[in-house]
Amino acid sequence: LLAATEKKNSQPFVEWLKPYLPGLSAGGNIVMTTLCSTNPVIHVPITVLNAVRTENGEPYKFYGNGISPLTVRYIEKIDAERVAVARSLGVEITDILTGINSFWPVKHDNLFDALHENEVYQRSMGPKSFNFRYITEDIPYGIAPVCKIGRLHGVDTPYTEALVRFASLLIGRDFMAEGVSFRKGDLSSVL
């Protein structure tokens, strides 16, 4: 999904990109397309919970031996918070499992299998440092905004907030202070 800041520009932009990205379609608004992104919800916990491997630069299969049922349960918790924050804004989005099952021909009953058994995901290697987009982009622009919007709209995000705070303490950066900031009403013009 793609959305322009001004909704009327979304479809023309999609049409312009269609020859290069045939699977692209116009989304409702930029809040919806941003909150639809499941990559930060998946990337951050796996990277942080593999801190020793990441810090040591060890090669490991990100979805192969980088996840466990416990890791996936945590991902499901922060995914539920992402969906709840979107709903608080009147935006309907799907959970990660539904999204993954819509991308691939093989359908899975649970998120662990969807991530662990996908042949394409099996080739993905984990990052070899914390100076990697799974941290430097996915935290300040992916999951921290979920916490910030949740605070403004009365949606509790304890799992997401704990992950952001832990990553900040672990790496020595204040990811809540980085990225985007919101005030009550900021998003009303784009919804």
Side-chain angles (χ1 to χ4, degrees):
L1 294 173
L2 176 140
T5 310
E6 293 184 37
K7 191 175 181 176
K8 66 179 181 167
N9 296 330
S10 297
Q11 192 58 43
F13 193 39
V14 166
E15 293 306 319
W16 182 71
L17 289 171
K18 272 269 196 215
Y20 312 103
L21 301 166
L24 204 58
S25 60
N29 57 58
I30 61 170
V31 174
M32 181 238 208
T33 57
T34 300
L35 290 174
C36 273
S37 179
T38 58
N39 284 342
V41 176
I42 297 169
H43 294 160
V44 176
I46 297 172
T47 303
V48 170
L49 294 173
N50 281 280
V52 172
R53 288 176 168 152
T54 303
E55 185 178 26
N56 289 338
E58 288 177 27
Y60 69 99
K61 302 279 185 172
F62 194 66
Y63 299 102
N65 53 1
I67 65 169
S68 70
L70 186 64
T71 306
V72 172
R73 282 196 297 276
Y74 201 91
I75 291 169
E76 290 169 335
K77 296 286 190 186
I78 63 175
D79 187 43
E81 293 174 358
R82 175 186 67 92
V83 171
V85 165
R87 284 194 181 127
S88 78
L89 297 169
V91 175
E92 288 298 319
I93 60 174
T94 60
D95 62 83
I96 293 173
L97 180 59
T98 302
I100 289 174
N101 279 337
S102 74
F103 303 150
W104 305 104
V106 177
K107 309 302 179 206
H108 296 279
D109 295 332
N110 63 76
L111 187 56
F112 180 81
D113 290 346
L115 294 171
H116 194 258
E117 294 178 8
N118 185 307
E119 289 183 29
V120 174
Y121 295 163
Q122 286 299 316
R123 294 190 291 265
S124 296
M125 298 301 291
K128 293 186 176 183
S129 90
F130 288 113
N131 189 23
F132 193 77
R133 68 183 175 89
Y134 291 0
I135 298 295
T136 61
E137 293 174 24
D138 286 350
I139 297 176
Y141 300 100
I143 64 171
V146 170
C147 298
K148 293 173 184 180
I149 296 169
R151 287 177 187 166
L152 289 174
H153 291 270
V155 179
D156 200 21
T157 59
Y159 289 90
T160 309
E161 189 135 349
L163 184 61
V164 173
R165 289 192 183 285
F166 179 70
S168 295
L169 293 168
L170 180 70
I171 297 163
R173 288 174 64 173
D174 185 354
F175 288 113
M176 280 296 197
E178 294 182 26
V180 292
S181 297
F182 304 99
R183 292 182 313 254
K184 192 83 169 161
D186 278 355
L187 301 175
S188 59
S189 65
V190 295
L191 288 171

